[in-house]
Amino acid sequence: MKEQTATTGVLNDLIAIHNDRIAGYQKALKELKAEDSDLERLFTGMISESQDIRETLAAEVRAAGGDVESGTTASGKIYRAWMDVKAAFSGNDRKAVLSNCEAGEDAAQNAYKSALKEDGLPSYLREVLTSQMQSLRASHDEVKALRDAA
């Protein structure tokens, strides 16, 4: 029972990160300029990616008898507020938006690294989380490459 509670806690932490990621990309979409339609497609895809991952994680939490996290993290709220301040000074330029998104992607990678270090996580969940982390890494690398090109 204790391991099950720990596992649902880890999964709920990742769900909160995906809630942050969704909110962050929704915010980024609002900051885009008309000429950044390529980023609109990218960010919309990343929102869908997090929604799918979140649902997979939520199904595991429900299967373990836990309640699914519906909020975001405190650090995510602080980060989005910081994005507002930074955007006011940077004028929402492409590079600034992508830099903010990359920082969010870094946070997601760190959350997964931390989750995978947890003892007692069932091996099948380790495989699921490792696969999700790899998918998110590809998204990170795409954002980073676009930022570097800006």
Side-chain angles (χ1 to χ4, degrees), residues 17-18 20-22 24-25 42-43 46-47 49-50 79 98-113 132-144:
I17 290 293
H18 283 283
D20 283 342
R21 192 171 184 252
I22 291 164
Y25 280 114
L42 176 66
F43 295 168
M46 290 177 165
I47 290 168
E49 176 183 45
S50 270
Y79 180 76
L98 288 166
S99 290
N100 288 335
C101 292
E102 184 186 7
E105 292 299 318
D106 287 341
Q109 286 295 306
N110 289 334
Y112 271 83
K113 286 176 188 172
Q132 290 175 350
M133 185 175 166
Q134 289 170 344
S135 175
L136 293 171
R137 183 66 192 185
S139 295
H140 169 276
D141 292 349
E142 188 170 2
V143 168
K144 183 180 184 309

Side-chain angles (χ1 to χ4, degrees), residues 32-38 94:
L32 293 179
K33 297 178 180 170
E35 62 268 20
D36 293 324
S37 61
D38 62 323
R94 182 180 177 95

Side-chain angles (χ1 to χ4, degrees), residues 8-117:
T8 59
V10 167
L11 297 178
N12 270 321
D13 288 346
L14 294 175
I15 288 169
I17 290 293
H18 283 283
N19 290 341
D20 283 342
R21 192 171 184 252
I22 291 164
Y25 280 114
Q26 288 171 335
K27 181 170 192 47
L29 282 170
K30 293 176 186 169
E31 295 176 5
L32 293 179
K33 297 178 180 170
E35 62 268 20
D36 293 324
S37 61
D38 62 323
L39 296 183
E40 183 176 348
R41 287 187 299 277
L42 176 66
F43 295 168
T44 300
M46 290 177 165
I47 290 168
S48 293
E49 176 183 45
S50 270
Q51 289 169 332
D52 292 344
I53 290 172
R54 181 181 62 187
E55 188 47 45
T56 298
L57 297 172
E60 291 295 335
V61 169
R62 285 190 290 274
D67 293 325
V68 176
E69 178 62 52
S70 61
T72 57
T73 65
S75 62
K77 291 172 186 160
I78 292 166
Y79 180 76
R80 284 188 300 281
W82 177 80
M83 281 176 62
D84 283 341
V85 171
K86 187 173 179 184
F89 291 107
S90 69
N92 290 340
D93 73 343
R94 182 180 177 95
K95 188 167 188 163
V97 170
L98 288 166
S99 290
N100 288 335
C101 292
E102 184 186 7
E105 292 299 318
D106 287 341
Q109 286 295 306
N110 289 334
Y112 271 83
K113 286 176 188 172
S114 177
L116 287 167
K117 289 179 184 175

